Amino acid sequence: MSIRVGIMGYGNLGRGIECALKQNADMELVAVFTRRDPSSVKILTEGVGVYHVDEAPNMKDKIDVLIMCGGSATDLPKQTKEYAKYFNVVDSFDTHAKIPEHFAAVDEAAQASGKVAMISVGWDPGMFSLNRLYANAILPNGSDYTFWGKGVSQGHSDAIRRVEGVANGKQYTVPVEEALERVRSGENPELSTRDKHTRECYVVAKEGADKAKIEAEIKNMPNYFADYNTSVTFITEEELQRDHSGIPHGGFVIRSGKTGWNEENNHIIEYSLKLDSNPEFTASVIVAYARAAYRMYKEGQKGCKTVFDVAPAYLSPVSAEELRAHLL
Amino acid sequence: MSIRVGIMGYGNLGRGIECALKQNADMELVAVFTRRDPSSVKILTEGVGVYHVDEAPNMKDKIDVLIMCGGSATDLPKQTKEYAKYFNVVDSFDTHAKIPEHFAAVDEAAQASGKVAMISVGWDPGMFSLNRLYANAILPNGSDYTFWGKGVSQGHSDAIRRVEGVANGKQYTVPVEEALERVRSGENPELSTRDKHTRECYVVAKEGADKAKIEAEIKNMPNYFADYNTSVTFITEEELQRDHSGIPHGGFVIRSGKTGWNEENNHIIEYSLKLDSNPEFTASVIVAYARAAYRMYKEGQKGCKTVFDVAPAYLSPVSAEELRAHLL
């Protein structure tokens, strides 16, 4: 019998979950929940109902795992702990600094309900975190480097669009190739913010706006751009739609460390992602962890978990014997 | 109290374990076992005894984890299951085709003794296997690519040295950069053996040997070289010692896969290693899994395990709270 999955919130991530479920024969989508009028939400999967969020608790016996697809700022801090009362849940909570607090609240709910609640699943936090953990455990004597991009930063794109005279804009975070090469060489460089990433801005100016002023305002914006080498390129709305409508992202997690009695040997462990669609990849990671959450629940586990607590075999639909024979 | 570790077999890998233990404050080396005369074996760590293998069972209460450092061809198939009767054990059994058989034998012993026995730990099998599993679970619709090198292949170096007229030699397996780039581009190419790797041979000829004949014999050797583009470079013994005495290795595990309702988006997950010392890195992985084996044993687990069965948090000396706060 397949694992019955519900989606809470139907934006880019929710749609990504729906697409990922289509690729996993052991799982099926059984419901989508929305705060909007359900009749206004059209989903891709035929024969699956869209319900108002308020109906979710009534469907607790029809859903094995509920995937939380809201935002980290306001939705998930409330929703994940609330729905962990009724369901095994998975979320992608990504406010790194607030993870301990979120973990505690969700754990309390899931311990009480006897469900498994998996938080902060995706690629960062998620696969990048895992790779930091593995690499640190293997090479205790070393340095960590994380680079992001090339990819779209939603927060920085929003910041551009708030500048006076700007009609539209998109920002790419780009890792500095030279810095990557220095890390890969085993040099263990100290890298400043400016050394690691550049910021590329594509900006549509409003009719008659002062472009020089816009460019200066962006480049000098504190926190967002002032600490980086930033480029500003003015383009038309048509060019923006044509060339910059995707949501690619990715990045690199590198650990460089020494071994040997006198630390004479250097090793580089590198993990990288190059993603055409940030939300669809995040969704693909979440779906694998939804499978794990359900299996761990079936084994009698409960409470809040992160990717650090999940033995890799739980993620795969393939049996342990097959995994040992073919992937090990 | 630190985790007390024993080393069974003191070659390159055993010495690597000894070096890795020095970097892990929560673990300590308490004994080295050898088939040689113990008085003839000098180890690096002061104050630690070297014992004959026959004494190992008598020390079962003094050792928390015994690390098996023999070879996969003849040592480990006998030793791992034997010592799993007395100890939590970790080995690096790397004959991929025989893993199911080895697992079954070791599991039987460890289930009976109530110990945890971790097999096939290292980087391939090991970290490469893990990355294959994670990437397959995340992107079910895709292709796997594994490239090895640049690194020394012991088997191929041995094959060169068996050629008539050869005094000494070393072989490097080298991934083809163009093939790597095609995979990274998302093209999903079909790659032949010859497309993926080249073989670089550095050969010291005996006085008066026919170099053209040696070169032809190496390049046409079935299984080892005939299916590859192979280069043969003649050098002196001094040059071999000076420039080729290291045992570097590494490689790349890449999965390229599609997501989206119509499979319209491509993603590349890449994991790579660049290792100055193959045995020291393998040893570093093993030591992290020795920590995990002991913790899982303390929790009441038993039987044979692989890297697929180990939740990542067990590998780190850092507490779960700290991991969540700083690495997630």
Side-chain angles (χ1 to χ4, degrees):
Chain A
M1 210 177 83
S2 42
I3 301 171
R4 300 165 304 171
V5 176
I7 292 173
M8 175 62 67
Y10 194 70
N12 281 336
L13 184 61
R15 210 158 18 243
I17 299 290
E18 186 179 20
C19 294
L21 288 171
K22 188 185 177 192
Q23 295 188 339
N24 287 278
D26 62 329
M27 308 178 87
E28 61 172 321
L29 179 63
V30 297
V32 170
F33 300 98
T34 179
R35 281 179 296 216
R36 293 175 270 171
D37 171 5
S39 69
S40 73
V41 175
K42 297 281 165 273
I43 67 170
L44 301 163
T45 313
E46 290 193 22
V48 170
V50 179
Y51 307 88
H52 191 267
V53 288
D54 293 345
E55 295 191 54
N58 303 328
M59 293 180 68
K60 69 186 179 62
D61 297 327
K62 295 185 175 135
I63 291 171
D64 297 317
V65 187
L66 183 64
I67 297 178
M68 313 304 302
C69 298
S72 294
T74 57
D75 298 332
L76 300 177
K78 289 180 193 160
Q79 291 182 335
T80 305
K81 68 182 180 190
E82 172 62 21
Y83 291 102
K85 294 179 188 167
Y86 311 102
F87 300 97
N88 298 304
V89 295
V90 184
D91 82 16
S92 59
F93 184 78
D94 66 359
T95 312
H96 291 261
K98 293 188 175 171
I99 286 174
E101 184 183 327
H102 187 54
F103 182 93
V106 172
D107 192 49
E108 189 182 348
Q111 293 289 353
S113 66
K115 301 289 186 181
V116 169
M118 203 91 78
I119 63 160
S120 301
V121 178
W123 60 273
D124 195 3
M127 299 311 296
F128 273 19
S129 324
L130 268 183
N131 277 281
R132 286 187 282 262
L133 192 164
Y134 278 118
N136 274 269
I138 294 168
L139 296 174
N141 181 7
S143 305
D144 286 317
Y145 298 89
T146 302
F147 292 83
W148 291 275
K150 181 180 178 176
V152 174
S153 164
Q154 214 51 63
H156 289 80
S157 299
D158 291 345
I160 290 173
R161 289 190 290 260
R162 286 192 298 263
V163 171
E164 199 190 320
V166 170
N168 207 345
K170 202 134 186 186
Q171 194 268 183
Y172 296 92
T173 305
V174 184
V176 175
E177 191 60 39
E178 188 208 339
L180 272 168
E181 288 309 322
R182 287 179 63 196
V183 171
R184 287 178 181 137
S185 76
E187 186 192 320
N188 285 353
E190 294 267 348
L191 297 170
S192 69
T193 298
R194 193 179 296 274
D195 293 333
K196 290 178 69 185
H197 297 95
T198 56
R199 299 202 175 273
E200 294 179 2
C201 306
Y202 293 87
V203 179
V204 182
K206 286 181 183 161
E207 181 100 21
D210 180 345
K211 290 184 178 175
K213 187 160 167 281
I214 290 173
E215 179 168 343
E217 195 167 331
I218 292 173
K219 288 186 171 176
N220 295 313
M221 200 184 294
N223 303 318
Y224 286 90
F225 296 104
D227 297 336
Y228 299 85
N229 291 329
T230 300
S231 70
V232 174
T233 306
F234 288 96
I235 59 176
T236 66
E237 180 66 31
E238 292 66 39
E239 287 169 327
L240 188 81
Q241 296 305 327
R242 187 190 68 204
D243 302 332
H244 302 282
S245 63
I247 12 186
H249 220 311
F252 304 80
V253 172
I254 306 177
R255 188 164 175 87
S256 175
K258 306 275 183 200
T259 66
W261 196 251
N262 297 306
E263 300 174 1
E264 60 270 35
N265 289 310
N266 200 74
H267 306 275
I268 306 287
I269 304 175
E270 176 169 344
Y271 180 79
S272 70
L273 297 172
K274 199 172 85 182
L275 313 175
D276 275 358
S277 165
N278 184 353
E280 286 181 9
F281 186 81
T282 301
S284 298
V285 177
I286 290 174
V287 164
Y289 277 91
R291 175 184 290 121
Y294 182 63
R295 289 176 165 178
M296 291 165 78
Y297 167 74
K298 293 287 274 184
E299 287 185 8
Q301 298 193 48
K302 63 179 177 175
C304 191
K305 312 283 179 193
T306 75
V307 294
F308 295 160
D309 305 310
V310 180
Y314 285 114
L315 301 170
S316 171
V318 174
S319 73
E321 292 73 20
E322 289 278 303
L323 288 177
R324 283 194 294 270
H326 301 298
L327 283 187
L328 196 64
Chain B
M1 209 178 85
S2 42
I3 301 172
R4 301 165 303 171
V5 177
I7 292 173
M8 174 62 66
Y10 194 71
N12 282 336
L13 185 60
R15 209 158 18 241
I17 299 290
E18 186 179 20
C19 293
L21 288 172
K22 188 186 177 192
Q23 295 188 338
N24 286 278
D26 62 329
M27 309 179 84
E28 62 172 320
L29 178 64
V30 296
V32 170
F33 300 99
T34 179
R35 281 180 297 219
R36 293 175 268 170
D37 171 3
S39 69
S40 74
V41 174
K42 296 281 166 271
I43 68 171
L44 301 164
T45 313
E46 289 193 23
V48 171
V50 179
Y51 306 89
H52 191 266
V53 288
D54 294 346
E55 295 191 55
N58 303 329
M59 293 180 70
K60 70 187 177 63
D61 298 327
K62 294 186 176 136
I63 292 172
D64 297 316
V65 187
L66 183 64
I67 297 178
M68 314 302 303
C69 298
S72 294
T74 55
D75 298 331
L76 300 177
K78 288 181 194 158
Q79 291 182 337
T80 305
K81 68 181 180 192
E82 173 62 21
Y83 291 101
K85 293 178 189 168
Y86 311 102
F87 300 97
N88 298 305
V89 295
V90 184
D91 82 16
S92 58
F93 184 77
D94 67 359
T95 312
H96 291 262
K98 293 189 175 170
I99 286 174
E101 185 183 325
H102 187 55
F103 183 92
V106 172
D107 191 50
E108 191 182 346
Q111 292 289 355
S113 66
K115 299 289 184 181
V116 168
M118 203 90 78
I119 64 161
S120 301
V121 178
W123 59 275
D124 196 3
M127 298 312 296
F128 274 18
S129 323
L130 268 183
N131 277 281
R132 284 187 283 262
L133 192 164
Y134 278 117
N136 273 268
I138 295 168
L139 296 174
N141 181 8
S143 304
D144 286 317
Y145 297 89
T146 302
F147 292 82
W148 291 274
K150 182 178 179 174
V152 173
S153 164
Q154 215 50 64
H156 289 79
S157 299
D158 291 345
I160 290 173
R161 288 190 288 260
R162 286 191 299 263
V163 171
E164 199 189 319
V166 170
N168 207 345
K170 201 129 184 189
Q171 194 267 185
Y172 295 92
T173 304
V174 184
V176 175
E177 191 60 37
E178 188 208 340
L180 271 168
E181 287 309 322
R182 287 179 62 197
V183 170
R184 287 178 182 139
S185 76
E187 185 192 323
N188 285 353
E190 294 267 349
L191 297 171
S192 69
T193 298
R194 192 179 295 274
D195 293 334
K196 290 177 68 186
H197 297 96
T198 55
R199 298 201 175 276
E200 294 179 2
C201 307
Y202 293 86
V203 179
V204 181
K206 286 181 183 161
E207 180 103 21
D210 181 344
K211 290 184 179 177
K213 186 158 167 283
I214 290 172
E215 179 168 344
E217 195 168 329
I218 291 172
K219 288 186 170 177
N220 295 314
M221 199 184 293
N223 303 320
Y224 286 91
F225 296 104
D227 297 335
Y228 298 85
N229 291 329
T230 300
S231 70
V232 175
T233 306
F234 288 96
I235 59 176
T236 65
E237 180 65 30
E238 292 67 37
E239 288 169 325
L240 188 81
Q241 297 305 328
R242 186 191 66 202
D243 302 332
H244 303 282
S245 62
I247 13 185
H249 219 312
F252 304 81
V253 172
I254 306 177
R255 187 163 176 89
S256 175
K258 306 277 184 197
T259 66
W261 196 250
N262 298 305
E263 300 174 0
E264 60 272 34
N265 288 311
N266 200 74
H267 306 275
I268 306 286
I269 304 174
E270 176 169 344
Y271 180 80
S272 69
L273 296 173
K274 199 172 86 183
L275 314 176
D276 275 358
S277 165
N278 184 353
E280 285 181 11
F281 186 81
T282 300
S284 298
V285 177
I286 291 174
V287 164
Y289 277 91
R291 175 185 293 121
Y294 182 63
R295 289 176 167 180
M296 291 165 77
Y297 166 76
K298 292 287 275 183
E299 286 185 7
Q301 299 194 47
K302 62 180 177 174
C304 191
K305 311 283 179 194
T306 74
V307 294
F308 295 160
D309 305 310
V310 180
Y314 285 114
L315 301 170
S316 172
V318 175
S319 73
E321 291 74 20
E322 289 279 304
L323 288 176
R324 283 194 294 271
H326 301 298
L327 284 186
L328 194 64

